Amino acid sequence: MAWMNFLKPKNQLEEGGRTGASVHSDAGEPERTCPNCHKEIPMSRLWANGLVCACGHHFRMKARQRIAQLCDKGSFRELYAAIKADNPLDFPGYHEKAETARAASGETEAVVCGAAKIGGHKCALFAMEPEFMMGSMGSAVGEKITRLFEYAMRYRLPVVGFTVSGGARMQEGLLSLMQMAKTSAAVKRHSDAGLLYIAVLTDPTTGGVTASFAMEADIILAEPGATVGFAGKRVIEQTTKKALPEGFQTSEFVLEHGFIDAIVPRGQQKKYLADLLAMHDGRAAS
Amino acid sequence: MTAAYDRVKKARESGRPTGLDYIGGIFTGFIELHGDRRCGDDPAIVGGLARLIGQSVTVIAIEKGHSAKDRARRNFGAPHPEGYRKALRLMKQAEKFGRPVICLIDTSGAYCGIGAEERGQGQAIAENLMEMSTLCVPVISILIGEGGSGGALALGVSDRVWMMENAVYSVISPEGCASILYKDAGKAAEAAGSLKLTAQDAKSLGIIERILSEKDMGKPEFYARIREMLVQEIGTLGRDAELVAHRYERIRALGTSAVGKEQA
Ligand SMILES: [Zn+2]
């Protein structure tokens, strides 16, 4: 697969302790332990399977890996790549933290935006980046997503968005909170123009992103087993002093409670999204 | 640093006027309307009809309560999804009848509970943000005490946002911030300074338009002052498409300066 060459199978998916460190087998090939089935999987097999274990566990995926896997070859044209926030509140340690995130993730910010085609259908696309401060939303993320919806409105395009976020970026204080309002207003305008927005929630989608554009799509999909919720589990336990129910705040939980449309495994997403886009094709005529 | 945390403490003082006190002081003839028409009625959010001098308005307030019993019944002003959905229902009703909307915000945050998650706390807030952005009637929000993150913003996507001089508005509580950043909730005072959560901070960041004096707080002249400001401000706000276009511009500008001059 072409997109595999593009990927760097380095040890880059450790955030949140869900993926386990990659180790080298006797044969020397890098392996990773699945946190679900605890088997060791050669990295080559994992990459070939879109970072999904044979047991169904979905490892976290970088924004550009998703884009490469999902978009028609050569169709992705990045937008707003230069936008980044420069510690607007002079928050202690933020500049260093963001620079570290830039070095570790290879991204300037926690979301990648652009125009693309999926199965021949034009769309505006965003994919959030788990390795950049766990996809936290600051002014730059809010600005990029807002601009993308405005772009999609101008060219009458549907928007497809992959969310992964720990929530608002507290180092930007109120400015990050306001991005919830800003992105929501942009989503509403795009929606009022009769255009389609599909969100795909991936692990984890929480906090201010859940309480804004993740939950505002016409069609909301999720990857299996992803954490999807508003408040953090620890905060809820501390507040309520109760044990959380089995499977609380997972994709399956929010599906059961009526907040998403379907759970779609990674391997089926391209066709699923192409089918949904095809059914709305009449809307996107420009 | 501690100056900011002093504000946080003041904003949380139990002796401060609550949402219902403001409603009683500013408006006349308040008629409370209950329920979200979906699932329940959240006592942490109070809403209904009232008169602002000559005109009918819809007023919505997060209510913390005064007595221990009332505070518990109102969940200390931490709303559930039903509260946000009731608020949205009342805003849509206001839009139908062409009434301005006044929101009074005072919450440590949307409730972090199992039921709140089961019934879609995130979705409820998200829907309010979206719908408020295009409401065709004037919307003014006043932060009267605590403005706790998304749970406060869910009543704050407005044409004008004002703050009492000792109110605070923050993306996270200083204690929460300190425990994440410094692994020590005791460093809350330090975090409060870094978060820039005072009314002065919010004004200099362009997030609010006005800081309201707390002189004579709770007295008739205090409420009379706010009443006068509301009447005047509503008079300056347009209606319908023009109003909504201006609101979008207002929201659109939030945080835009933080990303610098970069254009792509
Ligand atoms: Zn497995």
Side-chain angles (χ1 to χ4, degrees):
Chain A
M1 291 165 86
W3 63 272
M4 275 182 55
N5 302 330
F6 168 79
L7 304 173
K8 289 171 289 184
K10 64 175 183 179
N11 189 7
Q12 60 196 173
L13 293 154
E14 262 61 52
E15 286 263 19
R18 291 186 54 122
T19 54
S22 78
V23 290
H24 290 259
S25 69
D26 295 342
E29 191 188 358
E31 292 181 332
R32 183 156 296 161
T33 307
C34 172
N36 181 48
C37 69
H38 307 293
K39 283 189 182 135
E40 305 208 328
I41 320 144
M43 283 309 296
S44 59
R45 181 139 45 96
L46 208 48
W47 293 116
N49 202 30
L51 290 176
V52 179
C53 178
C55 76
H57 175 76
H58 284 52
F59 287 81
R60 282 183 190 142
M61 195 170 210
K62 288 180 65 62
R64 280 179 209 275
Q65 292 166 355
R66 285 192 185 280
I67 290 165
Q69 185 189 40
L70 188 76
C71 300
D72 297 354
K73 200 169 180 243
S75 72
F76 182 74
R77 187 167 63 81
E78 186 167 1
L79 293 164
Y80 323 125
I83 293 177
K84 59 174 183 173
D86 296 322
N87 200 0
L89 305 185
D90 289 322
F91 196 99
Y94 177 33
H95 179 78
E96 295 72 22
K97 195 162 178 137
E99 287 306 320
T100 305
R102 278 179 194 122
S105 66
E107 297 295 344
T108 345
E109 260 299 342
V111 69
V112 177
C113 296
K117 280 186 185 174
I118 299 172
H121 303 278
K122 272 197 222 167
C123 64
L125 183 85
F126 71 83
M128 299 184 82
E129 172 57 57
E131 289 180 26
F132 196 105
M133 299 177 76
M134 194 41 83
S136 74
M137 173 158 65
S139 306
V141 170
E143 180 69 18
K144 286 177 85 168
I145 287 178
T146 299
R147 284 197 197 185
L148 188 74
F149 276 92
E150 289 174 344
Y151 171 91
M153 214 173 119
R154 196 155 58 244
Y155 296 102
R156 295 202 60 76
L157 292 172
V159 174
V160 174
F162 286 80
T163 61
V164 44
S165 181
R169 191 174 298 173
M170 68 183 156
Q171 293 88 345
E172 291 187 31
L174 267 183
L175 292 172
S176 68
L177 183 67
M178 293 305 131
Q179 303 314 306
M180 292 168 63
K182 190 162 99 179
T183 53
S184 297
V187 172
K188 182 66 160 62
R189 278 197 153 190
H190 178 262
S191 175
D192 285 352
L195 299 166
L196 173 70
Y197 167 31
I198 305 170
V200 186
L201 316 186
T202 78
D203 184 66
T205 295
T206 59
V209 166
T210 296
S212 63
F213 58 86
M215 281 291 162
E216 292 168 346
D218 299 293
I219 298 171
I220 307 176
L221 310 175
E223 293 197 328
T227 291
V228 178
F230 174 63
K233 288 192 175 85
R234 240 169 303 161
V235 177
I236 297 173
E237 276 172 336
Q238 281 165 8
T239 307
T240 62
K241 318 249 185 313
K242 283 181 192 155
L244 303 178
E246 184 78 16
F248 185 65
Q249 290 186 324
T250 56
S251 304
E252 294 73 16
F253 175 89
V254 288
L255 179 71
E256 187 189 324
H257 286 89
F259 291 99
I260 62 171
D261 291 281
I263 294 171
V264 185
R266 203 172 281 162
Q268 297 169 27
Q269 284 170 9
K270 178 162 184 161
K271 184 176 184 311
Y272 204 101
L273 288 168
D275 286 348
L276 287 174
L277 291 170
M279 287 189 194
H280 293 81
D281 256 357
R283 311 295 310 175
S286 59
Chain B
M1 284 293 190
T2 50
Y5 201 54
D6 285 345
R7 302 271 185 190
V8 173
K9 287 187 199 153
K10 276 195 179 147
R12 290 173 179 170
E13 269 170 15
S14 58
R16 279 179 83 83
T18 64
L20 276 169
D21 297 327
Y22 277 82
I23 292 176
I26 298 169
F27 309 96
T28 53
F30 177 61
I31 300 169
E32 186 173 357
L33 302 173
H34 290 276
D36 69 349
R37 301 294 192 272
R38 296 285 182 275
C39 154
D41 181 49
D42 184 354
I45 294 188
V46 169
L49 303 173
R51 290 234 166 231
L52 178 67
I53 308 194
Q55 63 185 324
S56 306
V57 297
T58 287
V59 53
I60 299 163
I62 304 182
E63 174 59 36
K64 285 184 172 175
H66 282 295
S67 70
K69 198 178 154 197
D70 196 36
R71 283 172 70 80
R73 184 173 81 85
R74 297 188 185 278
N75 202 28
F76 308 93
H80 280 77
E82 298 76 65
Y84 295 116
R85 292 186 180 122
K86 170 167 68 178
L88 181 57
R89 177 176 81 80
L90 296 178
M91 286 187 229
K92 288 295 202 180
Q93 188 186 74
E95 183 177 54
K96 173 176 174 180
F97 295 106
R99 287 193 289 266
V101 177
I102 291 108
C103 295
L104 301 161
I105 298 168
D106 186 14
T107 181
S108 59
Y111 189 59
C112 299
I114 295 166
E117 294 288 323
E118 287 172 339
R119 300 192 296 278
Q121 189 73 285
Q123 187 276 336
I125 294 170
E127 188 168 4
N128 281 22
L129 304 183
M130 246 182 131
E131 295 298 327
M132 284 186 86
S133 75
T134 54
L135 211 66
C136 286
V137 289
V139 186
I140 298 177
S141 297
I142 310 177
L143 288 115
I144 60 170
E146 284 187 277
S149 200
L153 183 65
L155 298 182
V157 183
S158 314
D159 302 301
R160 297 287 183 271
V161 182
W162 300 344
M163 277 176 84
M164 302 311 301
E165 59 178 297
N166 286 312
V168 292
Y169 198 5
S170 186
V171 68
I172 185 169
S173 73
E175 293 80 9
C177 179
S179 65
I180 293 171
L181 278 191
Y182 313 118
K183 315 282 175 222
D184 179 5
K187 290 195 172 166
E190 197 177 314
S194 304
L195 283 167
K196 305 278 195 291
L197 44 63
T198 68
Q200 283 75 15
D201 294 327
K203 182 130 193 298
S204 61
L205 290 168
I207 285 161
I208 64 164
E209 278 77 19
R210 205 183 271 199
I211 300 170
L212 307 187
S213 161
E214 293 186 6
K215 187 169 176 286
D216 301 318
M217 190 160 69
K219 293 188 182 155
E221 48 268 43
F222 168 79
Y223 294 119
R225 224 165 43 225
I226 300 174
R227 185 188 310 129
E228 197 52 44
M229 280 187 251
L230 285 171
V231 171
Q232 279 191 8
E233 199 69 39
I234 289 168
T236 68
L237 295 170
R239 288 288 193 279
D240 303 327
E242 183 205 3
L243 177 74
V244 171
H246 282 141
R247 191 180 306 139
Y248 188 78
E249 281 167 33
R250 183 192 181 281
I251 300 164
R252 184 67 187 79
L254 297 170
T256 303
S257 61
V259 299
K261 308 280 175 282
E262 304 268 18
Q263 303 289 324

